[in-house]
Amino acid sequence: GAALRAGRRPVIAISRGDRVELVRVPEGYWPFAVPVGELGTVELVDSLGTVHVRWDSGHRFGVISEARDMIRAAAAGPC
């Protein structure tokens, strides 16, 4: 579900082991070596809310809480 922080947009609850998708890279951000649409696995959500992701391509980087809309929960694959 989504948790609301006072005065901020909804933040999706993401936990270790969740699958996520990179959905956008804001203008002015370093151009990641990971393309929009890449999937990854959350390794850690730290005490500041940074989501550390191991992308399927092998890259790793954290998404700070202020830019959390760069990622979303990945759709579940076929069972």
Side-chain angles (χ1 to χ4, degrees):
L4 287 177
R5 293 187 182 171
R8 294 190 180 171
R9 63 182 170 248
V11 175
I12 305 302
I14 296 177
S15 302
R16 182 178 185 205
D18 287 351
R19 297 284 289 164
V20 294
E21 176 184 3
L22 183 66
V23 294
R24 69 181 201 88
V25 177
E27 187 175 327
Y29 273 66
W30 177 76
F32 299 113
V34 175
V36 169
E38 179 82 19
L39 300 174
T41 302
V42 175
E43 293 188 310
L44 166 73
V45 179
D46 68 23
S47 62
L48 297 176
T50 301
V51 179
H52 299 267
V53 180
R54 179 180 33 87
W55 299 97
D56 291 353
S57 61
H59 291 86
R60 288 182 164 96
F61 64 83
V63 177
I64 62 173
S65 60
E66 291 82 4
R68 184 78 69 89
D69 60 345
M70 290 173 52
I71 59 174
R72 68 176 170 206
C79 294

